Amino acid sequence: MSARLGLVLWAVLGGLGVASAQPAASTRPVASKQPRASKQPVDPEPVPFAWDVPRVLEAVEMPGVMRADGIPVRLRSVKSAEKPQVILQRLVDRFEAAGFYIPPDHHRTQWFQEPQLTALDTERLISYTFVLQPNPDGTTTVILGEANLGMARREQAAFAPVFPGGKDVMQSEMEGARTMTYLAEAEPEKVGDFYLKELRGAGYSETDSGTWRRGGEELKVSVRPVKPGHVAVIVMRRMSTVEDVMEPDVREGPQPARSRPEQGQR
């Protein structure tokens, strides 16, 4: 996964919190009143929401379910031949047709340049988020996320230091790796100096730029400017396996020795 795609996925997860608030009563979808009858037919189960991205070229399913701040999240990536504006309008129309709550403009937070939107299914407490990333070749990468807010569980404390004043801290977990993302009002160099001091003091050694190791634990710290004086910080934590720290010859095991030809043989 490229660093840029990782940041886009983070933007998807960051947007989930926008839709987690319940809409005011005046903005909730109102069910039509039905006259009472002695034997009213039972309404069928609602059809689950399905994404409808136009002109799909390829799709990538993210394996398994990740947790972001204790909320189960499913992610997928789709590449479309359509322009971002057309895709955005199509998905907004789908949200409105499904009766989802879309927060008004003044309740949305737009930290990234990529267009993004979150809507909430108030009946199932599932939020749907999409992020549109224009590509140089004229295609559009669409990141689609679904978060089951009704199955949230209490999240653990932060596994790494957070820059003072950092906000919107979010932790996620998938396939044994943990990720912490947040926003900070600072220059990238200042955040870098903070982690240099904190991680060295905690016994970590920097093995590469932004990569820190302590025993079998590895932290990768990435800082990205999002607007003047503000940065997005991503910290990834991974526990090394025994195979990761073995020398290649030890990991691969003994190899069969090559037999030497006897003297006089070719």
Side-chain angles (χ1 to χ4, degrees):
M1 179 187 299
S2 66
R4 182 166 177 78
L5 179 56
L7 285 169
V8 172
L9 291 178
W10 177 85
V12 174
L13 299 179
L16 296 178
V18 176
S20 61
Q22 290 290 335
S26 59
T27 60
R28 290 175 184 258
V30 180
S32 59
K33 295 183 178 180
Q34 299 290 338
R36 290 188 177 182
S38 57
K39 290 185 179 181
Q40 186 172 353
V42 178
D43 293 334
E45 286 291 327
V47 177
F49 177 77
W51 294 100
D52 183 20
V53 179
R55 302 178 65 190
V56 172
L57 299 174
E58 60 183 26
V60 178
E61 295 286 345
M62 306 297 172
V65 177
M66 71 181 304
R67 282 192 173 269
D69 274 1
I71 301 172
V73 178
R74 290 188 180 275
L75 295 169
R76 58 190 290 225
S77 173
V78 172
K79 179 179 283 189
S80 170
E82 195 56 85
K83 299 298 182 183
Q85 296 83 356
V86 176
I87 301 173
L88 187 148
Q89 188 60 56
R90 172 73 68 85
L91 295 180
V92 169
D93 290 344
R94 291 285 297 161
F95 285 167
E96 292 179 343
F100 293 168
Y101 169 70
I102 302 177
D105 293 342
H106 61 278
H107 283 171
R108 302 176 195 166
T109 302
Q110 182 76 33
W111 281 91
F112 294 86
Q113 295 180 353
E114 293 86 358
Q116 57 185 294
L117 183 66
T118 296
L120 176 66
D121 180 344
T122 58
E123 298 296 327
R124 296 185 178 88
L125 285 182
I126 297 177
S127 67
Y128 296 86
T129 300
F130 67 83
V131 181
L132 308 177
Q133 178 188 5
N135 299 317
D137 61 0
T139 63
T140 304
T141 297
V142 188
I143 308 298
L144 307 171
E146 303 174 14
N148 193 330
L149 307 175
M151 296 184 65
R153 70 185 185 193
R154 193 186 187 101
E155 191 54 56
Q156 299 176 356
F159 61 83
V162 176
F163 185 82
K167 60 181 181 178
D168 296 336
V169 179
M170 177 170 288
Q171 298 189 79
S172 59
E173 183 174 355
M174 188 173 188
E175 295 186 344
R178 298 186 66 186
T179 303
M180 179 177 68
T181 59
Y182 63 92
L183 303 170
E185 188 172 350
E187 297 297 330
E189 296 77 13
K190 194 170 183 180
V191 178
D193 292 341
F194 166 79
Y195 278 101
L196 182 68
K197 178 181 177 181
E198 291 291 322
L199 295 181
R200 280 185 176 174
Y204 290 88
S205 299
E206 191 171 18
T207 59
D208 198 358
S209 178
T211 302
W212 298 81
R213 186 178 293 275
R214 183 180 64 182
E217 180 185 9
E218 181 182 87
L219 293 181
K220 291 187 177 181
V221 182
S222 176
V223 182
R224 177 198 174 185
V226 291
K227 60 183 180 181
H230 295 78
V231 295
V233 182
I234 301 177
V235 183
M236 299 184 66
R237 178 178 183 265
R238 177 175 175 270
M239 298 301 296
S240 301
T241 62
V242 175
E243 288 77 9
D244 291 333
V245 297
M246 284 182 177
E247 294 296 330
D249 56 343
V250 177
R251 182 169 59 247
E252 295 172 5
Q255 301 296 314
R258 294 183 179 178
S259 59
R260 296 183 177 180
E262 296 181 5
Q263 191 172 4
Q265 291 183 351
R266 291 185 179 180

